[in-house]
Amino acid sequence: MDPILSEVYSTVLPAAPYVIGAYVGIWLVLAVFVFALFRRAKHTSQDVEALKEALDARKN
């Protein structure tokens, strides 16, 4: 093997688990954030429907 490549691999490969762990962590945080946004959107749409019903009841 080329000595330069072996030096690069010896530097990069030990850090691979940390890089993979960072990517997994970022994806997990992103998934939790998107899940929270969907929950808030669901609650918001329920609130809007309740307000519409209240307005309709008030008009009648």
Side-chain angles (χ1 to χ4, degrees), residues 14 39 51 55 58:
R39 282 189 61 204
L51 285 172
L55 282 173
R58 188 174 183 189

Side-chain angles (χ1 to χ4, degrees), residues 33-54:
F33 178 70
V34 169
F35 177 73
L37 286 179
F38 277 125
R39 282 189 61 204
R40 283 188 190 179
K42 181 180 176 185
H43 288 288
T44 302
S45 65
Q46 290 173 348
D47 289 344
V48 168
E49 289 299 320
L51 285 172
K52 284 181 183 178
E53 290 175 6

Side-chain angles (χ1 to χ4, degrees), residues 6-40:
S6 65
E7 183 179 338
V8 168
Y9 290 150
S10 68
T11 304
V12 172
L13 285 180
Y18 299 111
V19 173
I20 293 169
Y23 275 110
V24 168
I26 289 170
W27 279 107
L28 286 175
V29 168
L30 183 64
V32 168
F33 178 70
V34 169
F35 177 73
L37 286 179
F38 277 125
R39 282 189 61 204
R40 283 188 190 179

